[in-house]
Amino acid sequence: MIKTIHQITAENMALKLKVPDTKDEIQHLAETFNEMLDRLGRAFKSQKQLFEDISHELKTPLTILKGEFEVALTKVRSADEYEAMLKSALEEINRIAKLAESLLLLARLDSKEMTPQKMDVDLNLMIKGIINNIKGLAELKGVRISFEIPTGELSLRGDENQLKTLFLNILDNAIKYTPHNGLIEVSTKRATSVANVSIKDTGIGIPGEDIGRIFDRFYRLDTSRDSIGFGLGLSIAKSIAEAHGGTIRASSEAAKGTTFIVSLPLY
Ligand SMILES: Nc1ncnc2c1ncn2[C@@H]1O[C@H](COP(=O)(O)OP(=O)(O)O)[C@@H](O)[C@H]1O
Ligand SMILES: [Mg+2]
């Protein structure tokens, strides 16, 4: 067993200990060790996948940038042409910056390095503020957002900035994936020891086979949708909810709409 353990490296995670059939602590130890190898193996695999996804996401905007610069440099151009080219380059740069920012946030949430800065948060007030901030965006798309502030306070201890990001990410999707004349209904409710926030839209919905994966990193549906996002918004939202001891659930009906329910523990 010791010899095998010496051979195990990050690149060699498939190795397993031979489990002796001795029905004693040594057998138990070998089994436990193999289980640990499985866990680490899965973690390594998902890190590798993450690496691949990040590289892929970086490649696209960089390829576009490179192409634009190369074309621009083939001859001397007018000031207007340079301006148009710089504007378009800036869009790609903003995209890369947004990706870096999202990845940094995820990495911090992951490493638990970013323990939520807990303060008293009035959930209804906070959500009202977020809706006020994105109303303009929704109006541009012809989507209405309703939120009736329920009576009674809903306060919890949480990191207000993180919680804002959580709800903003869900609302941003609701706007993005709801066609003209749609409606987004936001409501909050107190349950026994949690606050439930429901965000219900009349958007394009998410097919059943995808709904289990929308919280995965870089997962996004591609079918004829505007795939401007990176597919990180919901994984960030989920990490934030979990850092607060809460959960997020989604249910959806294709072409009818999607409902997200965020549950956060009250005090
Ligand atoms: N309200 C919604 N209605 C329909 N589809 C949604 C909704 N919210 C999320 N999705 C789907 O889940 C995917 C993942 O969401 P998210 O992590 O925020 O990534 P994105 O950057 O694409 O918005 C989206 O690409 C979209 O296909
Ligand atoms: Mg999103």
Side-chain angles (χ1 to χ4, degrees):
M1 280 164 72
I2 290 170
K3 216 169 114 196
T4 312
I5 292 174
H6 275 301
Q7 289 168 357
I8 295 170
T9 62
E11 292 76 38
N12 205 2
M13 296 290 293
L15 271 185
K16 291 273 135 60
L17 295 187
K18 264 210 199 80
V19 180
D21 188 19
T22 46
K23 310 214 169 25
D24 58 1
E25 286 92 337
I26 298 292
Q27 178 180 355
H28 192 201
L29 183 65
E31 284 165 354
T32 310
F33 193 88
N34 283 342
E35 280 162 28
M36 181 191 75
L37 283 178
D38 279 340
R39 282 198 303 278
L40 291 179
R42 276 197 298 276
F44 272 120
K45 210 172 143 200
S46 94
Q47 291 295 319
K48 202 169 153 249
Q49 180 66 47
L50 192 60
F51 241 128
E52 274 175 31
D53 288 340
I54 295 169
S55 314
H56 182 78
E57 294 299 337
L58 276 174
K59 217 178 141 202
T60 312
L62 286 174
T63 306
I64 295 173
L65 266 181
K66 184 168 177 277
E68 281 173 349
F69 280 119
E70 278 168 357
V71 170
L73 285 172
T74 51
K75 59 172 196 199
V76 175
R77 290 166 191 280
S78 70
D80 280 354
E81 280 175 310
Y82 282 126
E83 192 186 336
M85 188 235 131
L86 285 175
K87 273 190 179 148
S88 152
L90 193 58
E91 267 175 40
E92 296 308 321
I93 291 171
N94 281 335
R95 215 176 133 71
I96 299 170
K98 177 98 204 337
L99 175 63
E101 195 190 312
S102 298
L103 287 170
L104 195 59
L105 178 59
L106 267 173
R108 288 193 175 145
L109 285 164
D110 252 10
S111 70
K112 312 274 185 282
E113 173 192 309
M114 213 158 95
T115 37
Q117 294 290 308
K118 296 257 170 98
M119 51 197 136
D120 291 319
V121 178
D122 181 328
L123 205 56
N124 291 324
L125 209 62
M126 185 188 78
I127 289 174
K128 197 172 171 217
I130 298 172
I131 291 177
N132 264 334
N133 285 340
I134 57 164
K135 236 175 29 206
L137 187 69
E139 268 164 25
L140 275 179
K141 267 214 69 187
V143 174
R144 213 157 53 81
I145 306 181
S146 80
F147 178 46
E148 271 186 47
I149 296 222
T151 46
E153 215 193 337
L154 261 187
S155 285
L156 48 85
R157 286 192 65 75
D159 185 316
E160 188 158 3
N161 281 329
Q162 286 187 17
L163 291 175
K164 276 185 182 162
T165 303
L166 189 174
F167 290 109
L168 200 58
N169 286 357
I170 294 179
L171 282 163
D172 179 63
N173 284 342
I175 296 172
K176 196 153 79 172
Y177 301 113
T178 299
H180 202 78
N181 283 332
L183 173 66
I184 300 166
E185 285 172 286
V186 184
S187 63
T188 57
K189 208 162 144 192
R190 174 189 288 271
T192 329
S193 59
V194 296
N196 287 324
V197 183
S198 157
I199 298 120
K200 182 173 187 278
D201 67 52
T202 58
I204 53 177
I206 303 165
E209 67 265 26
D210 293 299
I211 199 131
R213 304 197 53 196
I214 54 169
F215 296 101
D216 292 352
R217 277 163 202 197
F218 291 112
Y219 194 78
R220 67 204 140 185
L221 283 80
D222 270 331
T223 49
S224 78
R225 301 175 177 229
D226 73 68
S227 52
I228 291 171
F230 287 110
L232 289 175
L234 285 178
S235 54
I236 290 174
K238 183 167 179 252
S239 294
I240 293 174
E242 284 171 359
H244 284 79
T247 57
I248 304 186
R249 279 166 297 150
S251 59
S252 184
E253 223 177 308
K256 282 225 166 118
T258 307
T259 303
F260 283 88
I261 295 180
V262 182
S263 295
L264 295 167
L266 296 163
Y267 290 107

